[in-house]
Amino acid sequence: MAKEPRANMLVFFESCKDVVKYVAEDNASILGLDKSFFDLCKDSLAELEEEVVIMPRRIITIDRKSIGIITMHRKLDALTAFKPLDTQSARVLAKIRKSTVLLVSPNSLKYVNEAQVNFLKQSHSRKFLEIAFGEFVKLLALNSRSMHASKAFYSLGNTMEKALKLDIGVAASGAIENYPKCLFTNHIDALLFSMGFSKRERRMILEVYPLELLKVWLGEE
Amino acid sequence: MEYFIIAIIAVALSATSLAVALCTALSLRKKVSALLDELSMALLARKKSKKVKRYILLKVVCSEEADIKAFMMDFENRVSKLLGGIERMGCSLTIASVSKISNRMIIRVTGDYQCFKKVLVALSIQHILFGGCVAIPIRTSGLFSRLRKWIY
């Protein structure tokens, strides 16, 4: 079976051998690894037989106090996703004149919502949303009481729908804990299907936008 | 005088028969409409509970210490626990075929269409909650024969 060019933007691993196992089992062609782990396993990753694009990733949490980091942390050694924890930082991220990735998780969903998508659309540069599906699934699996799962999924669905409608890039990541407690690309596809997204929309999220994001990031570099 | 009495009786009789006919028609109409309502409700209920059968081809990936046989034995329990008791009223899941060589299995989901979606989500998150093996849905179909060729 030929691999579809699907992407899982972030997966956590314990050892370098697990990456080989994951790549063999999943049909992801683009895989994001944590920057520190990527540096550790550089050599063993070079020996991978599968045709997979592996990129270093970094997640940075932004709030009112640490808003200055946004400009400082634009290092190109890893694809950085910003997780805003207040409205002010979310709006600042939307106004930056460089392509930026915003992480959507249950914590940041309040600030990266439909209104924020409108701001992202008005931006001069291409903006992307990265949906941390792993953290949303945690709400379902671990009976978290911090936020109702149905409310979170409803809000997430609306945000994603609005982003797709306005052509804001949407990518997905399945990191929860270390492998194998993660979401594979087929699991993400099943979740999107159950949320009511069509085949075309699922393809855009799993294949088209991640490729575009990769192209934009490599172009910046 | 006699003709007058006969005419009054005739009018009274016709008025009574008209009243009886009117009452019967009204009650019949009520009963017929009630019956029609019941029939339409039954038809709707039947439509709502229309069962769909879908087959899902799964690939089972286990870590070295996990036992794949134990996982397959416990598989239905895991998904049932995630679905919950009320959801299981209209949604059943059975293992249709297992290939121990390729670690693949086909499961049959019977229920409404929402049930199929919920089973897919349950399959996707079961390893996070229970640990052990990961079940990756590869293909879905309404026909078992279409998936059989992928199980090797």
Side-chain angles (χ1 to χ4, degrees), chain A residues 25 137 141 176 180 182 186-187 194, chain B residues 59 121 125 127-129 135 137:
Chain A
E25 298 299 346
V137 162
I176 304 175
C182 63
N186 282 12
H187 292 150
S194 70
Chain B
K59 182 162 74 173
V121 175
I125 65 171
H127 63 283
I128 296 155
L129 196 61

Side-chain angles (χ1 to χ4, degrees), chain B residues 49-85:
Chain B
S49 68
K50 192 182 172 189
K51 297 233 167 181
V52 182
K53 204 186 284 175
R54 299 285 292 177
Y55 293 91
I56 306 171
L57 173 69
L58 297 173
K59 182 162 74 173
V60 181
V61 180
C62 290
S63 53
E64 281 155 16
E65 61 266 24
D67 183 16
I68 193 161
K69 276 182 190 171
F71 170 76
M72 283 179 179
M73 296 276 276
D74 193 38
F75 178 73
E76 284 177 44
N77 277 337
R78 284 177 173 220
V79 180
S80 297
K81 268 182 199 168
L82 279 169
L83 285 177

